[in-house]
Amino acid sequence: MNEAALFALLYSTYFLSYISRKNIIFIAPHLLQFGFTKSDLGASQSSFTACYLISKLSSNLICNWASPRLVLSIGITTVGFINILAGVLEAPQYMWALWGLNGLCSGACWPPIGNLIVSHFPQHKRGRIWSLISSSMNAGSTVSPPLTHFLVYHTSWNLSFTIIGFVDVIIGVVLFAALPRHKGTNNCTETSSSTSDKVSPWKWDMLVNKFMFAICFSFMILTFSLIAISTWGQILFIEKLDTDTLTAGFIVSLFEIGGFCGATASGFFADFVARNFKTKGSPRSYSGVLCTGIFCVSITTLQCVPPSTLLCKTCAIGCGFGLYGTMAIYGLLTREYVSKEHSGTLNAVMGVCSQLGGFFAGSPLAGFYEKHAISDGFWIVAYVAPVAFVCICLLTFVEGKYKKKDD
């Protein structure tokens, strides 16, 4: 399979995977009108995040030796069946259980995509390929608000789950038939080394590392911020602007469009720095510094300025640009910073930290929203975001194992 066909297949797969696990978020304003409470929605989010944590941890380790083709096709197919069940079983107690299962299966989708990128694309293209495929989540979230509004308005909220489920099953079959059965030739990220240099992936001393401490803690904070905005953002704009669901969904779409631009730009900028400069730490962290700073400014401005549709749209774009721009480079940072044998384990640990942030943005934050306004909760995001900025800044000064790659 050539690079263009593989890229198109991976992009469309993650696009659908993201819609499949986020559609409950964009249907949330409608679910509140059908007997669901904020606590029910928070429980579904926390259930998903906890199970996604387990899945991300195990699938990163499994992908060190298992076939990415098999893991990815099974994962997306199972997600499809779960969405079909979610369209049939309507009660909140079923929804949080089904979304927990969704988390178990969704976590298996990204690690094999990462392995396929590293295995089948040359080093000088991986930054842009990684960021472009990461931006598919923004494309999915951009389409979801108007799509779900259309389906709920013309049919029912159940139908949106069912349609996406059937499409996932179809793409799972296509993946199983079309993905390459063998590993690519671009798998080495460093010059070849002797067999004696190889170490067991279970050697945990690699985790006692300032670089990884900073990136994991920063990733946890930004994941909390991302889940908080994507889960509750639509309701925030409804309350803040006193607008309808469609307009609030449109602003959330602008957040995702900003994320698409940020993820794409950070990948190209990271490739440029890595190709042209030799730095003490990781050169890819420079794009993270820029994007995290943009996010901090945008989320603070959103809270401080008076309600205005234009200002909220601008801040939403800035928040998306900064958040997704920073997060798009994390996976590549960890895979290129450590040896190939350690990459799966290290991504698993980073996944644990990130999903802890996502869990706190679910039920705990929902409990806060039961007693306070949605906008009050976004001050929490504004307060913790600068900590992530400081962590990313440290990465430019920490002595790392990164070596300048040959073009």
Side-chain angles (χ1 to χ4, degrees), residues 20 23 76-90 95 98-99 102 157-170:
S20 302
N23 51 358
I76 193 68
T77 302
T78 311
V79 167
F81 283 119
I82 292 171
N83 272 266
I84 293 173
L85 283 176
V88 177
L89 305 175
E90 303 179 5
M95 190 62 70
L98 285 173
W99 235 241
N102 194 345
W157 63 267
N158 312 68
L159 186 59
S160 64
F161 288 103
T162 305
I163 292 175
I164 292 298
F166 278 117
V167 176
D168 286 339
V169 173
I170 294 172

Side-chain angles (χ1 to χ4, degrees), residues 128-143:
R128 69 200 72 172
I129 295 297
W130 198 293
S131 62
L132 285 171
I133 293 181
S134 297
S135 69
S136 63
M137 68 178 71
N138 308 112
S141 296
T142 300
V143 172

Side-chain angles (χ1 to χ4, degrees), residues 31-102:
L31 293 179
L32 292 175
Q33 302 174 10
F34 287 95
F36 285 71
T37 65
K38 292 179 181 178
S39 296
D40 293 330
L41 298 176
S44 298
Q45 177 60 51
S46 291
S47 174
F48 175 90
T49 304
C51 294
Y52 189 81
L53 166 62
I54 297 172
S55 178
K56 202 78 175 285
L57 177 64
S58 58
S59 60
N60 268 295
L61 299 176
I62 291 173
C63 281
N64 281 340
W65 55 268
S67 166
R69 163 180 165 265
L70 190 62
V71 175
L72 185 56
S73 59
I74 291 177
I76 193 68
T77 302
T78 311
V79 167
F81 283 119
I82 292 171
N83 272 266
I84 293 173
L85 283 176
V88 177
L89 305 175
E90 303 179 5
Q93 60 266 29
Y94 296 131
M95 190 62 70
W96 74 261
L98 285 173
W99 235 241
L101 292 175
N102 194 345

Side-chain angles (χ1 to χ4, degrees), residues 99-405:
W99 235 241
L101 292 175
N102 194 345
L104 283 175
C105 300
S106 296
C109 291
W110 179 247
I113 290 178
N115 279 18
L116 287 167
I117 293 173
V118 173
S119 298
H120 294 274
F121 292 93
Q123 293 171 353
H124 66 279
K125 293 183 179 179
R126 289 177 192 164
R128 69 200 72 172
I129 295 297
W130 198 293
S131 62
L132 285 171
I133 293 181
S134 297
S135 69
S136 63
M137 68 178 71
N138 308 112
S141 296
T142 300
V143 172
S144 288
L147 176 64
T148 53
H149 178 81
F150 175 83
L151 291 175
V152 171
Y153 182 78
H154 290 281
T155 56
S156 66
W157 63 267
N158 312 68
L159 186 59
S160 64
F161 288 103
T162 305
I163 292 175
I164 292 298
F166 278 117
V167 176
D168 286 339
V169 173
I170 294 172
I171 198 67
V173 174
V174 173
L175 287 171
F176 185 79
L179 282 179
R181 290 175 167 78
H182 60 280
K183 293 186 178 180
T185 57
N186 299 314
N187 211 21
C188 283
T189 58
E190 301 288 346
T191 56
S192 59
S193 57
S194 62
T195 306
S196 60
D197 292 335
K198 293 183 178 181
V199 293
S200 166
W202 300 102
K203 190 174 181 181
W204 292 95
D205 61 339
M206 65 175 177
L207 301 179
V208 186
N209 182 302
K210 295 178 181 178
F211 178 92
M212 292 315 304
F213 176 82
I215 198 171
C216 288
F217 192 63
S218 173
F219 200 33
M220 178 178 68
I221 292 174
L222 291 182
T223 303
F224 168 81
S225 304
L226 175 62
I227 299 300
I229 293 175
S230 61
T231 303
W232 307 104
Q234 208 169 355
I235 303 175
L236 167 70
F237 293 123
I238 291 174
E239 293 185 358
K240 189 178 184 68
L241 302 176
D242 192 24
T243 186
D244 55 49
T245 304
L246 184 59
T247 303
F250 174 72
I251 298 177
V252 173
S253 293
L254 291 177
F255 167 77
E256 298 296 340
I257 291 173
F260 178 89
C261 297
T264 304
S266 68
F268 279 88
F269 181 64
D271 277 352
F272 172 78
V273 177
R275 186 170 57 249
N276 294 282
F277 300 96
K278 186 176 179 67
T279 62
K280 183 178 181 180
S282 171
R284 300 188 188 275
S285 64
Y286 285 88
S287 59
V289 172
L290 175 63
C291 292
T292 311
I294 292 174
F295 169 67
C296 291
V297 172
S298 299
I299 189 67
T300 304
T301 305
L302 177 65
Q303 289 297 92
C304 292
V305 298
S308 167
T309 304
L310 180 60
L311 287 174
C312 285
K313 289 178 180 178
T314 305
C315 292
I317 293 174
C319 287
F321 188 98
L323 262 179
Y324 284 103
T326 308
M327 299 182 75
I329 66 169
Y330 278 142
L332 195 59
L333 277 171
T334 54
R335 288 181 185 273
E336 290 195 340
Y337 190 82
V338 300
S339 63
K340 183 173 58 178
E341 292 83 1
H342 285 149
S343 63
T345 306
L346 212 45
N347 273 275
V349 175
M350 191 176 72
V352 171
C353 296
S354 69
Q355 296 311 308
L356 281 175
F359 177 85
F360 287 120
S363 287
L365 202 55
F368 179 86
Y369 287 150
E370 291 288 355
K371 300 179 180 179
H372 301 83
I374 296 290
S375 58
D376 293 338
F378 275 67
W379 276 115
I380 300 175
V381 177
Y383 290 148
V384 300
V387 180
F389 176 76
V390 172
C391 289
I392 291 290
C393 288
L394 292 176
L395 302 182
T396 61
F397 304 107
V398 173
E399 187 72 36
K401 296 179 182 179
Y402 184 88
K403 297 178 181 179
K404 187 177 180 180
K405 307 290 190 300

